[in-house]
Amino acid sequence: MNKEVTLRSINRLAIPATISGIAEPLLSITDTAMVGNIEVNGLESLAAAGIVGSFLSMLIWVLGQTRSSISAILSQYLGAGSLEEVHRLPAQAIFFNVLLSLVVIATTLPFARALFGLFEAEGVLLEYCVSYYSIRVWGMPFTLFTYALFGVFRGLQNTYYPMLIALIGTAVNIGMDYVLIYGVEGYVPAMNLEGAAYASLIAQAVMAVLVFFFIRKHTPIPLQLKFPVHREMRRIIGMSANLFVRTIALNAALILAVREATALG
């Protein structure tokens, strides 16, 4: 491929990617505002959402580094005009992502109480952390699935659909937050903090369905899992491992800060 790189072509990729990036902090701010206004134990609910949210964000950012790896490799093959050589690679990377998330669920969920005890959570706060995490953690396979396919889109020089999916997911989450946290009189009971967890889970599932649909409809990439393992999987794992070390170092500082803040009350 011999395409001239222009400021317009850069902006065509950068602007949707920027808008997509803004959606996540906007969602977090909205979640914080809604959970903070829960009438019963609102302070404990807000603290539990903050602790669990920080821990889950750490897991997702650490384990989701395959997004960057897939994007880099697909970009190389797209530029070389040999995209068909890596057709089966995204499905294998997605399988690796989802399998990794299931391992995390299996190894953390049974020990959630002890895990959040390490964050200095106790009493009502600890119970809220365990309850919130027990729901939210099931969204991790959806999120890692979505992140991997976002990497496919970026590798194909398309940031529009990830932006669209992120905005829809944000809107769904905010809407479901309002309905499930506070309830709708006569129709939906107020679920408080658990409602926020279910709202996030529903939004993550919606985004996974949408990204699957857009990949199938707008790209030549098949999502059927086929073997043998592609030779580039070694590069994906190697690149992800390097990013993993960097990300775990950054998030370790965040987790320690959350722990100390919780200890202060």
Side-chain angles (χ1 to χ4, degrees), residues 44-160:
E44 289 82 359
S45 297
L46 182 59
I51 293 169
V52 175
S54 297
F55 180 70
L56 281 173
S57 293
M58 184 266 301
L59 289 178
I60 289 168
W61 281 111
V62 168
L63 300 178
Q65 295 305 319
T66 48
R67 174 178 62 176
S68 299
S69 307
I70 294 170
S71 176
I73 291 173
L74 287 184
S75 294
Q76 291 174 6
Y77 279 85
L78 179 68
S82 53
L83 191 61
E84 68 282 352
E85 294 183 19
V86 287
H87 268 191
R88 72 174 187 270
L89 180 63
Q92 293 178 0
I94 290 165
F95 176 77
F96 174 75
N97 255 17
V98 173
L99 182 62
L100 203 56
S101 69
L102 295 176
V103 170
V104 169
I105 292 172
T107 54
T108 60
L109 192 55
F111 309 105
R113 188 173 301 277
L115 176 65
F116 292 110
L118 296 175
F119 285 79
E120 303 290 345
E122 56 186 19
V124 174
L125 176 57
L126 179 58
E127 296 301 322
Y128 278 9
C129 285
V130 172
S131 173
Y132 186 66
Y133 182 74
S134 298
I135 300 168
R136 278 289 309 271
V137 73
W138 293 103
M140 186 179 295
F142 295 124
T143 299
L144 293 183
F145 175 86
T146 301
Y147 273 23
L149 290 182
F150 277 6
V152 172
F153 272 123
R154 291 186 178 186
L156 297 176
Q157 310 301 296
N158 185 328
T159 56
Y160 172 76

Side-chain angles (χ1 to χ4, degrees), residues 95 122 145 188 191 214 259:
F95 176 77
E122 56 186 19
F145 175 86
V188 180
M191 299 175 69
F214 283 120
R259 182 181 185 275

Side-chain angles (χ1 to χ4, degrees), residues 8 15 19-20 37 58 85 89-90 99 117 122 133 155 172 183 187 190 198 200 202-203 220 230 243 246 251 258 263:
R8 183 177 181 180
I15 292 174
I19 294 173
S20 177
N37 283 297
M58 184 266 301
E85 294 183 19
L89 180 63
L99 182 62
E122 56 186 19
Y133 182 74
V172 169
Y187 295 95
Y198 281 116
S200 295
I202 291 169
H230 197 282
L243 292 167
R246 181 207 66 176
N251 281 278
V258 171

Side-chain angles (χ1 to χ4, degrees), residues 38 135 179-184 188-199:
I38 292 175
I135 300 168
V179 170
L180 297 179
I181 293 175
Y182 304 129
V184 178
V188 180
M191 299 175 69
N192 299 322
L193 183 62
E194 288 190 352
Y198 281 116

